[in-house]
């Protein structure tokens, strides 16, 4: 529950109205530390699932050098799905960062807008790393043809 | 409703926030300041004389912790020198094989468990509160308890070398060698280090909660010092990395003590399970060691460049990304164990992928230095050495991630060279840089520039002379961990070079140690911010004051000392929050997780001896079983629990005298919090996350055996008695329900009914525990790994049920004594959270005992 919703403080932090004022109510819901871990968490789930599926499949059904094409295809398909999910997350965080509108790369100021954009920025970068990580994890099923 | 009748959970901060410039500009009259200073000084006073050792303040405990870890490092270093002497020439006989085995095992174990990880925690306890402008860590006595546990455990484990009784199966204790080994060495390793791991987790919980809840007002997540980000990431990693090892230790010690065959292949066990559990811990551990050290670099580099870090978000990305990816590397220690090629491929891929985030943070440092005005100060010199050595180690890491190359050099000196390059570059050099950088903050003295440079060049050159040749002898085929080698192998020359280099490194450390401890009284008053840094710790006071910060500032920049004018003067004048201690107690400010808005005033515990008593008896509970002395171990365990209960009862979550108090700058804050606002609740939540991970590792064991062994569960095996399993699960579920209901009715003011519910819950807990014992009683855990695992799950559940029972009874007593009331129910909220996890554990145990074997059999 690492998010802002438990912020029970009554004291408000309202500086002068800012250009993105109307978007702020929405943006505050996005202020969660968890969210920046979603990308890598999807990588982790995909990684563990791929490893677990291979371990079980090869222990119970794989024999020597026999081809395991259907298995490889299913892991490949799952990998593409996961990549799509991370791409979507990346797109969402790119929007939350809002670099094209604000041109702000540092997000270093003491206000809610910069905090939200910073979290978007970090989440966006993490999505890229996770995306590359998932591609890496997918490579073995592309190249290795059996359970040997 | 008035303040006095509203429940504290309904109380809200009142008054202006954030403070305006006019409010901050208003001076504090000198006589007010003087009175505040005197009142604040009293509760924070460090005890004197022999009572000094009862201190719990982070500045005292942090220094002891750091020096102890450093002392263990020097001792482990001496073991290394002795090994290098033995290996200097072929067919040497300074050490015999047995002693050599003890030395390399202890060298690795001590460097990892007694130096690298504790050093991170020690250093963080010492400096994190200052980064955050906090008075102290949220749970000072927990730090102290962790420290005393660490000291007892460390002396016990390292001391065994002197009695020729040290573990000798290598620092990763592979079975069957380590399970079959005679003597008590392996037991010392398992129990002694488990004890220390528990202390490590305690420190991790403290550091995470400190970072999340004790930041100064205004320090939103996008403004935290990078060190705090790394602490969060590393703390999280400890929670998920250490528990698998604790689960492994648990199974291992059950096999050593009671012959339950978890790792014995002749009775259905599998030594590979240990390798998995060990390396699920072991590889993230390398990053647990590396990240905090690189975090020190992230604090030094902006100061040296005299500008903000380039790519703050990128560094956060790399810390979080590395934290995750590092969990996908563990099998690269197991490439030669015959797993399917595809599986190896996954881990090879992840091992290559982790280079990306790791590289990004190094590039961010280089970029900052390039655009800044760099002066090559002493800390920066050590950081440069660190980067050079770490990059070399990282590159051999990329080579080792490639499976065929790895097969070639597995268990050779190439590995020894690689791991020392990563650990020296990734940990030792940055930590020494940190010592030079933070010494003026820690000791209010300055280390010698000249001695520091001499030490650097000795260690840097000596290190490369020692370890670079190991790449060569490794490629020539010299295996690691051999106590000697024949002349004909041709490894003699490079080994001699390595030995000479090792003594050059030792000379460098001798210079460093001399510089640390030489008298420095003549320096007088040193400058307050000698490096002209921008972060809060340099607002420290000279001469030293034990209160941490005079007043807790309002932060609007990542580098407040550079960007916020007059911040230090205003902190000193007590212009900001909590400038006073009207109640005469230690307090700090608790703020919200994301935006760091002030939430409440948190009382903080002061000096105590009960932590020593608790640590001593906890030590007894772990150390006596080493010698198979179980009755004294049980007595110690009971006394340890009693001590901890006394400690909690007397000093935590007690109803405050006033419900709201002035916090400065016109802000009034509640003085009590329960549930999600309370640091204690976060402590329980984070601890239980770690506990759940350990439990998940045990359950993983079940599926591992099922995958790896055709005879699991064996045909016709006796299963746990289904009726008892169902009864146990039901009883635990009902007890959970009673606890949740007790919290609810207590909030409605029905304290009597809450007591009845908790007492009924306690009875159900006892029933559940008894039923789960009865369910497996007919199974023989020595005969096969299947019944052994059922018993292990039972032991796990019964132990946790015991803790849950104590918690329920503690709350009954609290309600009876008026410590716990309708309004002040933090204890009840915390135990309910524990019970959520316990209910989940009970249901899972029920499913694995009762359903899974029939499904998978």
């Amino acid at each position: 529950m690492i998010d802002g919703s438990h912020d029970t403080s009554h004291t408000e932090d309202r500086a002068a109205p800012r250009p993105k004022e109307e978007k702020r109510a929405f943006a505050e819901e996005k202020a969660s530390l968890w969210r920046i871990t979603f990308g890598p968490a999807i990588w982790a789930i995909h990684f563990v699932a791929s490893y677990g599926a291979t371990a079980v499949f090869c222990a119970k059904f794989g024999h020597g050098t026999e081809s395991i094409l259907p298995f490889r295809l299913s892991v490949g398909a799952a990998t593409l799905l996961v990549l799509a999910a991370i791409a979507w997350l990346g797109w969402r965080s790119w929007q939350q960062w809002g670099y094209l509108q604000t041109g702000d790369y540092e997000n270093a100021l003491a206000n809610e807008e910069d905090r939200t954009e910073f979290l978007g920025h970090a989440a966006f970068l993490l999505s890229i790393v996770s995306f590359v990580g998932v591609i890496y994890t997918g490579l073995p099923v592309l190249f290795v043809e059996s359970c040997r | 409703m008035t303040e006095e009748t509203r429940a504290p959970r309904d109380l809200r901060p009142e008054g202006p926030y954030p403070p305006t410039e006019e409010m901050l500009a208003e001076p504090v009259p000198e006589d007010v300041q003087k009175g505040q200073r005197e009142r604040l000084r009293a509760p924070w006073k460090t005890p004197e004389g022999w009572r000094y050792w009862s201190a719990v303040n982070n500045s005292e405990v942090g220094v002891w912790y750091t020096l102890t870890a450093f002392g263990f490092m020097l001792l482990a270093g001496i073991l290394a020198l002795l090994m290098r002497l033995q290996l200097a020439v072929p067919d040497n006989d300074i050490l015999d094989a047995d002693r050599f085995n003890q030395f390399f095992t202890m060298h690795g174990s001590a460097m990892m468990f007694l130096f690298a990880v504790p050093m991170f925690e020690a250093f963080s306890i010492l400096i994190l509160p200052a980064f955050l402008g906090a008075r102290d860590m949220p749970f000072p006595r927990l730090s102290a308890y962790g420290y005393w546990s660490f000291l007892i455990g460390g002396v016990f484990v390292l001391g065994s070398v002197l009695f020729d009784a040290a573990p000798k199966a290598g620092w990763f204790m592979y079975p069957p060698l380590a399970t079959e080994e005679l003597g008590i060495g392996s037991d010392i390793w398992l129990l002694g280090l488990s004890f220390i791991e528990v202390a490590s987790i305690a420190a991790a919980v403290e550091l995470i909660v400190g970072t999340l809840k004790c930041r100064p007002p205004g320090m939103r997540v996008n403004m935290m010092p990078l060190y705090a980000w790394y602490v969060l990431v590393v703390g999280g990693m400890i929670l998920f990395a250490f528990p698998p090892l604790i689960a492994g230790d648990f199974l291992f010690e059950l096999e050593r003590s009671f012959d339950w065959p978890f790792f014995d292949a002749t009775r259905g066990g599998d030594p590979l399970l240990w390798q998995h559990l060990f390396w699920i811990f072991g590889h993230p551990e390398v990053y647990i060691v590396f990240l905090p050290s690189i975090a020190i670099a992230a604090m030094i580099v902006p100061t040296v460049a005299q500008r903000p870090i380039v790519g703050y978000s990128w560094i956060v990305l790399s810390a979080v990304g590395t934290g995750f990816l590092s969990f996908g590397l563990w099998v690269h220690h197991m490439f030669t164990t015959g797993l399917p090629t595809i599986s190896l491929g996954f881990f090879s891929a992840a091992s290559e992928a982790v280079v990306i985030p790791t590289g990004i943070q190094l590039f961010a440092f280089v970029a900052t230095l390039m655009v800044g005005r760099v002066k090559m100060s002493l800390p920066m010199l050590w950081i440069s050495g660190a980067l050079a050595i770490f990059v070399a180690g990282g590159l051999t890491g990329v080579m080792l991630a490639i499976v065929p190359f790895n097969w070639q050099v597995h268990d050779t000196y190439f590995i020894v060279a690689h791991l020392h390059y990563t650990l020296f570059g990734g940990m030792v050099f940055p930590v020494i840089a940190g010592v030079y950088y933070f010494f003026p903050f820690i000791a209010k003295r300055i280390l010698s520039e000249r001695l520091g440079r001499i030490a650097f060049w000795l260690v840097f050159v000596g290190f490369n002379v020692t370890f670079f040749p190991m790449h060569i002898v490794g490629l020539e085929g010299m295996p690691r961990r051999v106590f000697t080698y024949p002349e004909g192998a041709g490894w003699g020359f490079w080994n001699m070079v390595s030995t000479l280099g090792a003594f050059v490194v030792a000379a460098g450390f001798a210079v460093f140690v001399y510089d640390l401890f030489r008298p420095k009284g003549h320096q007088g008053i040193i400058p307050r911010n000698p490096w002209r840094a921008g972060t809060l710790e340099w607002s420290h006071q000279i001469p030293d004051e034990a209160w941490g910060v005079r007043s807790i500032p309002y932060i609007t920049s990542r580098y407040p000392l550079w960007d916020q004018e007059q911040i230090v003067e205003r902190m000193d004048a007590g212009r900001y929050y909590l400038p006073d201690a009207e109640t005469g107690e230690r307090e700090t400010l608790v703020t919200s997780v994301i935006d760091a808005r002030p939430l409440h005033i948190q009382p903080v515990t002061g000096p105590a001896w009960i932590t020593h008593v608790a640590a001593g008896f906890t030590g007894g509970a772990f150390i006596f079983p080493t010698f198979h002395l179980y009755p004294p171990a049980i007595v110690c365990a009971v006394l340890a629990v009693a001590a901890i209960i006394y400690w909690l009862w007397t000093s935590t979550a007690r109803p405050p005298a006033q419900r709201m108090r002035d916090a400065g700058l016109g802000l009034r804050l509640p003085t009590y919090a329960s549930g999600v606002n309370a640091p204690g609740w976060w402590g329980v939540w984070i601890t239980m996350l770690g506990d759940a991970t350990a439990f998940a590792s045990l359950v993983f064991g079940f599926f591992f055996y099922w995958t790896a062994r055709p005879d699991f569960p064996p045909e016709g095996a006796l299963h746990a008695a289904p009726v008892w399993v169902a009864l146990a699960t039901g009883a635990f579920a009902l007890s959970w329900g009673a606890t949740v209901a007790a919290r609810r009715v207590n909030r409605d003011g029905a304290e009597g009914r809450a007591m009845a519910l908790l007492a009924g819950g306690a009875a159900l807990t006892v029933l559940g525990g008894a039923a789960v014992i009865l369910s497996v009683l007919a199974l023989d855990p020595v005969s096969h790994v299947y019944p052994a695992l059922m018993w292990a799950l039972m032991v796990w559940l019964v132990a946790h049920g015991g803790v849950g029972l104590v918690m329920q009874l503690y709350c009954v007593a609290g309600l009876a004594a008026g410590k716990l009331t309708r309004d002040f129910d933090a204890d009840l909220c915390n135990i309910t959270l524990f019970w959520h996890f316990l209910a989940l554990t009970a249901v899972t145990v029920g499913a694995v005992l009762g359903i899974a074997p029939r499904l998978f059999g």
Side-chain angles (χ1 to χ4, degrees):
Chain A
M1 254 177 272
I2 307 182
D3 60 40
S5 65
H6 299 291
D7 205 344
T8 53
S9 155
H10 256 182
T11 54
E12 285 301 349
D13 192 355
R14 298 238 183 263
R18 289 189 302 266
K20 289 171 77 183
E21 196 67 52
E22 75 284 1
K23 275 181 81 179
R24 253 187 31 197
F26 178 56
E28 265 155 43
E29 283 170 33
K30 294 186 179 175
S32 164
L33 271 185
W34 282 130
R35 291 178 59 95
I36 69 169
T37 65
F38 285 176
I42 294 179
W43 167 85
I45 292 166
H46 172 257
F47 182 85
V48 170
S50 302
Y51 168 63
T54 307
V56 172
F57 182 85
C58 286
K60 302 289 176 191
F61 312 105
H63 304 287
T65 54
E66 172 179 299
S67 163
I68 52 167
L69 193 62
F71 175 77
R72 291 166 59 206
L73 286 176
S74 5
V75 175
T79 304
L80 291 178
L81 269 178
V82 164
L83 285 175
I86 295 180
W88 179 78
L89 260 181
W91 171 243
R92 289 284 308 272
S93 7
W94 166 259
Q95 285 178 316
Q96 186 180 334
W97 178 21
Y99 179 62
L100 293 183
Q101 288 94 50
T102 61
D104 183 0
Y105 203 85
E106 281 296 328
N107 311 124
L109 298 182
N111 56 47
E112 274 154 29
E113 181 178 328
D114 266 33
R115 175 257 286 148
T116 305
E117 287 170 8
F118 159 75
L119 288 173
H121 188 181
F124 173 68
L125 295 172
L126 278 162
S127 315
I128 297 180
V129 167
S130 314
F131 194 85
V132 176
V134 169
I135 294 178
Y136 273 44
T137 311
L139 290 178
V141 285
L142 195 65
F143 292 117
V144 184
E145 295 176 346
S146 73
C147 275
R148 200 164 55 89
Chain B
M1 257 195 286
T2 69
E3 211 168 78
E4 289 310 307
T5 54
R6 260 188 306 179
R9 59 182 166 275
D10 299 326
L11 292 177
R12 295 282 183 269
E14 287 165 8
Y17 179 82
T20 60
E21 182 55 35
E22 297 81 73
M23 292 160 71
L24 295 175
E26 192 186 321
V28 185
E30 180 52 41
D31 58 323
V32 174
Q33 286 192 35
K34 190 159 173 285
Q36 288 180 340
R37 274 200 301 270
E38 274 163 17
R39 280 191 295 277
L40 194 59
R41 203 169 274 134
W44 288 96
K45 191 168 176 295
T46 307
E48 282 166 3
W50 60 276
R51 286 203 176 79
Y52 170 73
W53 299 104
S54 70
V56 297
N57 204 343
N58 76 296
S59 46
E60 268 68 40
V61 174
V63 167
W64 305 338
Y65 217 144
T66 315
L67 286 178
T68 309
F70 185 64
F72 287 147
M73 181 263 191
L74 292 179
L75 293 175
I78 290 171
L79 295 180
L81 287 180
L82 292 169
M83 286 192 287
R84 278 319 320 169
L85 276 181
Q86 161 68 14
L87 290 173
V89 292
D91 299 313
N92 203 357
D93 60 357
I94 297 176
L95 300 177
D96 61 26
D98 184 75
R99 202 168 290 272
F100 190 87
N101 293 349
Q102 293 187 32
F103 282 10
F104 77 66
T105 302
M106 278 319 301
H107 171 73
S109 306
M111 285 297 190
M112 284 304 202
F113 294 99
L114 304 182
F115 168 59
V117 175
M119 195 51 146
F120 150 63
E121 297 177 327
F123 217 71
S124 301
I125 287 173
L126 187 54
I127 60 180
L128 184 70
F131 286 151
L132 303 181
R135 288 263 153 75
D136 203 330
M137 302 298 290
F139 317 119
R141 288 191 184 172
L142 188 63
S143 312
Y145 172 72
Y147 168 70
W148 294 109
S149 296
F150 168 67
L151 180 68
I152 295 168
V155 168
F156 171 64
V157 173
L158 208 51
S160 63
V161 168
L162 301 177
F163 299 91
D164 199 18
K168 51 193 167 193
W171 83 276
F172 35 80
M173 285 280 130
Y174 275 0
L177 177 62
T179 37
E180 303 289 313
E181 197 216 325
L182 301 173
I184 57 168
S186 298
D187 303 300
I188 288 175
W189 192 95
L190 286 160
L191 292 161
L193 295 182
S194 297
F195 179 38
I196 287 169
E197 285 149 23
V198 172
S200 287
I201 292 177
V205 169
E206 162 118 302
L207 292 171
I208 296 174
V209 178
T211 309
L212 291 177
K213 301 294 292 177
C214 297
R215 302 206 301 275
M219 189 188 273
R220 299 163 185 267
V221 279
N222 61 326
M223 295 164 61
M224 297 200 303
L226 285 168
Y227 194 89
W229 270 104
Y230 281 95
V231 164
L232 266 189
V233 170
V234 174
M237 290 173 70
I238 289 179
L239 288 185
F240 291 103
F242 273 66
L245 180 61
I246 291 180
D249 286 352
F250 173 64
L251 298 179
F252 207 126
E253 195 51 38
L254 286 176
E255 171 153 354
R256 291 266 316 174
S257 297
F258 306 115
D259 197 24
W260 296 6
F262 296 107
F263 308 115
D264 178 358
T266 61
R267 286 175 285 164
D270 194 332
L272 272 191
L273 177 61
W274 171 260
Q275 296 198 17
H276 279 292
L277 292 176
F278 187 88
W279 290 116
I280 291 174
F281 148 78
H283 206 89
E285 201 241 9
V286 175
Y287 287 86
I288 289 171
V289 167
F290 162 69
L291 288 176
S293 316
I294 217 69
I296 292 175
M299 301 308 287
I300 294 176
V301 164
T303 300
V304 169
Q306 287 291 302
R307 58 150 292 135
I309 193 95
V310 172
Y312 180 91
S313 307
W314 288 81
I315 292 190
V316 172
L317 135 96
S318 62
V320 177
T322 312
F324 270 88
L325 290 175
S326 66
F327 279 82
L329 316 185
W330 84 85
V331 167
H332 80 210
H333 297 267
M334 299 166 61
F335 278 166
T336 57
T337 55
L339 294 174
T341 316
I342 298 188
S343 304
L344 301 187
F346 292 142
F347 289 92
S348 179
S351 308
E352 302 291 4
V354 78
V355 177
I356 299 170
T358 311
I360 287 173
Q361 56 201 341
L362 302 188
F363 281 115
F365 295 156
V366 173
T368 309
L369 293 171
M370 280 173 67
V371 296
R373 301 182 300 272
V374 178
K375 179 172 167 286
M376 191 49 109
S377 63
L378 194 50
M380 193 56 221
L381 184 65
W382 285 88
I383 293 291
S384 316
L387 293 182
I389 291 176
F390 182 76
V391 167
L395 291 176
T396 50
V398 172
M399 294 161 73
L400 286 168
I402 295 165
V403 178
F405 180 81
N406 188 301
W407 285 340
Q408 205 61 37
V409 296
H410 183 80
D411 266 350
T412 68
Y413 261 85
F414 192 87
I415 305 290
V416 178
H418 160 72
L419 74 91
H420 282 91
Y421 266 83
T422 53
L423 291 173
F424 249 83
M427 150 89 205
V428 177
F429 273 73
V431 165
I432 294 180
V435 172
Y436 279 106
Y437 182 73
F438 290 112
F439 201 77
F441 165 74
I442 298 165
K444 318 300 175 198
R445 292 277 176 263
I446 293 176
L447 291 173
S448 156
E449 177 87 14
R450 200 169 62 94
L451 291 176
R453 286 185 190 271
I454 295 172
F456 171 79
W457 287 109
L458 285 173
V459 176
F460 184 78
V461 172
F463 172 82
N464 283 293
V465 172
T466 311
F467 291 98
F468 192 80
M470 291 188 187
H471 292 109
I472 302 169
V473 288
L475 289 171
E476 285 174 355
M478 180 168 172
R480 67 195 285 199
R481 298 179 170 176
V482 288
F483 82 104
T484 191
Y485 51 91
E487 177 130 36
W491 304 325
F493 173 72
W494 288 121
N495 270 291
M496 178 54 90
V497 171
S498 286
T499 300
L500 294 175
F503 281 88
V504 178
V505 174
F509 272 105
V511 173
F512 175 63
V513 171
Y514 167 71
D515 194 13
L516 270 187
F517 292 104
R518 79 195 157 84
K520 300 182 197 67
H522 63 277
Q523 288 180 355
I525 302 282
I526 63 157
R528 202 163 168 184
N529 185 357
W531 316 105
R532 292 187 294 138
T535 37
L536 272 183
E537 72 276 21
W538 298 105
S539 69
H540 68 135
Q541 278 163 319
I542 295 176
D544 200 11
E545 292 280 7
W547 55 45
V549 284
R550 171 70 179 78
S551 62
I552 299 172
Y554 172 69
I555 295 299
T556 55
S557 160
R558 284 177 188 161
Y559 300 92
L561 267 49
W562 287 343
D563 299 338
Q564 287 181 248
E565 276 176 34
Q566 295 187 313
I567 185 172
V568 177
E569 291 79 359
R570 288 170 183 177
M571 285 171 75
D572 287 353
R575 181 65 276 175
Y576 289 107
Y577 296 104
L578 290 191
D580 206 337
E582 298 120 351
T583 56
E585 282 176 5
R586 296 186 177 198
E587 293 168 330
T588 196
L589 199 62
V590 169
T591 53
S592 68
V593 171
I594 296 282
D595 285 338
R597 296 160 171 281
L599 288 183
H600 69 267
I601 298 171
Q602 172 76 27
V604 176
T605 45
W609 294 107
I610 190 66
T611 46
H612 304 66
V613 176
F617 285 123
T618 314
F622 278 94
I623 289 170
F624 281 118
T626 313
F627 308 101
H628 299 277
L629 298 171
Y630 296 106
I634 292 167
V635 172
C636 280
V638 170
L639 290 173
V641 170
I644 291 169
I645 289 176
Y646 173 81
W647 153 16
L648 295 177
W649 181 272
T650 50
S651 65
T652 64
R654 301 202 67 92
Q658 281 172 286
R659 296 185 175 205
M660 294 278 282
R661 280 237 322 279
D662 220 1
L665 289 169
L667 191 65
R668 284 174 62 73
L669 293 178
T671 53
Y672 187 94
S674 64
V676 71
N677 281 329
W681 187 93
W682 284 83
V684 175
W685 157 244
I686 291 166
T687 309
M688 291 318 292
L689 221 49
D691 184 77
T693 309
F695 177 64
S697 307
L698 285 186
V699 176
F700 165 76
F702 181 92
F703 291 97
F704 174 83
Y705 289 124
W706 174 70
T707 315
R709 306 279 309 195
D711 59 341
F712 187 89
E715 252 175 81
L718 203 55
H719 294 314
V723 179
W724 290 117
V725 173
L727 186 66
T729 315
F732 275 109
L734 284 174
S735 183
W736 166 75
T739 310
V740 175
R743 186 192 57 178
R744 188 153 307 160
V745 302
N746 179 56
R747 286 205 162 174
D748 296 336
E751 289 168 6
R753 236 180 320 147
M755 267 162 79
L757 277 165
L758 284 169
L764 283 164
T765 309
V766 174
L767 180 70
V772 72
I773 293 173
L774 288 173
S775 75
V776 298
L777 211 53
L779 280 60
D780 175 15
V782 178
S783 63
H784 189 271
V785 71
Y786 171 69
L789 196 60
M790 300 292 111
W791 272 74
L793 288 168
M794 177 278 282
V795 172
W796 188 267
L797 180 57
V798 168
H800 283 72
V803 177
L805 175 70
V806 170
M807 287 182 168
Q808 287 167 325
L809 296 175
Y810 181 82
C811 284
V812 172
L815 282 164
K819 174 186 185 297
L820 175 61
T821 65
R822 176 182 74 106
D823 293 342
F824 302 107
D825 64 345
D827 289 332
L828 193 47
C829 290
N830 294 351
I831 78 146
T832 310
L833 181 60
F834 174 87
W835 265 93
H836 292 330
F837 279 92
L838 179 51
L840 199 65
T841 304
V843 170
T844 311
V845 168
V848 176
L849 289 184
I851 302 171
R854 292 171 176 81
L855 223 54
F856 294 108

